[in-house]
Amino acid sequence: MDAEFSKLQGKTAIVTGASSGIGLATARLLAKNGVRVGLVSRSKVVLEELSGTLPGSRALPADMTKIPQVKKMVASAQKEFGRIEILVNNAGQGYDAPVEKTNISTFRYIYDLNVIGPLAAMQAVIPVMRALGGGSIVNISSGTALMHLPGMSPYSSSKRALAGISLAARQELEADHIVVSVVYPYITLTNFEKNTIHALPVPEGTREPGGRYQPDPAEFVAQKIVAGIVSGEAEIFSHDWMKEPRSGA
């Protein structure tokens, strides 16, 4: 157990997108520090295998684009654990397309997954956390939400929307001692790019500002997320240079 995370011991968390990448690394780090974790993704088999390796965890399969499933997932977590103190909204998918070529149906799906699903999860856990006297909600945005990148507006705009919802909710829920934070990861070594929907090839150089920085391991981002749960910071950046607005150049 890490000393800086000791205050999390005995708490209960829901982590969406927990079957791989940042979500998996976050679930493992929370479990390592004595947190009981509700593991959420669409794959029941993968979650059940993972649950067997993380003490106190439970598989909570759900499609985050389906609101009834999101509500059922939160209700199941509450029934299983009796309480929910932490929500990490991590599930998401990329969609790269120029504005002119953006497929409206695909964009609606991405928006449902990246924005509406997290919002529905927040709405479901807020009454639970309020009854407990407080809680922590961490929504995973993206460094692209801080930039203006040609060919990436569908994804980056969804992550800007999630950040906006997060920071507004932070003020709305302050009196209930529910702390809402938003995390901006940089390029991360996961399967995210492999799973991104591509309408057209993205020009070289638009993904990495100046090509000066190396991708981060998922475990690095997980450390930022869990540290954010402890600190309660409003905005958590993978790197300090991300705090300055950037273009795609």
Side-chain angles (χ1 to χ4, degrees):
M1 181 181 297
D2 300 321
E4 63 179 315
F5 301 149
S6 60
K7 66 183 292 185
L8 298 178
Q9 186 173 16
K11 294 186 181 296
T12 297
I14 292 173
V15 179
T16 72
S19 59
S20 64
I22 293 171
L24 174 57
T26 302
R28 284 174 170 163
L29 184 57
L30 287 170
K32 175 187 173 184
N33 287 279
V35 178
R36 299 177 299 169
V37 185
L39 306 164
V40 183
S41 81
R42 290 178 297 180
S43 177
K44 181 179 180 181
V45 173
V46 172
L47 292 181
E48 288 180 343
E49 290 178 356
L50 176 59
S51 179
T53 69
L54 301 179
S57 66
R58 295 289 185 274
L60 300 171
D63 183 338
M64 293 299 292
T65 68
K66 309 295 185 186
I67 305 304
Q69 290 190 32
V70 175
K71 292 179 178 179
K72 180 180 178 181
M73 175 271 291
V74 173
S76 296
Q78 186 178 13
K79 182 178 179 180
E80 286 278 351
F81 298 116
R83 55 198 299 119
I84 303 167
E85 288 104 338
I86 301 165
L87 168 65
V88 179
N89 271 317
N90 168 74
Q93 186 175 7
Y95 175 35
D96 294 347
V99 171
E100 183 182 6
K101 300 295 184 180
T102 296
N103 181 282
I104 300 301
S105 295
T106 303
F107 183 54
R108 280 182 174 141
Y109 168 78
I110 291 297
Y111 201 87
D112 281 345
L113 177 59
N114 293 357
V115 184
I116 304 302
L119 174 59
M122 290 173 68
Q123 290 178 337
V125 301
I126 286 168
V128 178
M129 292 180 176
R130 183 180 288 123
L132 293 172
S136 176
I137 297 172
V138 180
N139 292 329
I140 312 306
S141 180
S142 165
T144 65
L146 309 171
M147 308 173 191
H148 309 286
L149 299 172
M152 296 185 69
S153 63
Y155 176 67
S156 66
S157 64
S158 71
K159 289 301 188 177
R160 285 182 187 223
L162 182 60
I165 289 170
S166 303
L167 296 175
R170 181 181 178 86
Q171 296 184 52
E172 294 169 357
L173 298 171
E174 183 178 6
D176 296 306
H177 306 290
I178 299 173
V179 180
V180 184
S181 304
V182 58
V183 177
Y184 302 99
Y186 180 57
I187 299 171
T188 311
L189 295 171
T190 68
N191 289 326
F192 179 83
E193 185 59 31
K194 177 182 176 182
N195 296 324
T196 293
I197 301 168
H198 296 281
L200 293 172
V202 177
E204 284 295 323
T206 60
R207 294 192 174 282
E208 191 174 353
R212 293 174 292 170
Y213 306 101
Q214 296 300 312
D216 297 316
E219 291 75 16
F220 173 84
V221 183
Q223 285 279 342
K224 294 285 185 178
I225 292 168
V226 178
I229 295 171
V230 173
S231 70
E233 291 179 85
E235 296 182 281
I236 299 146
F237 302 82
S238 285
H239 303 281
D240 287 343
W241 59 260
M242 296 173 67
K243 298 176 184 180
E244 296 298 325
R246 289 173 173 264
S247 66

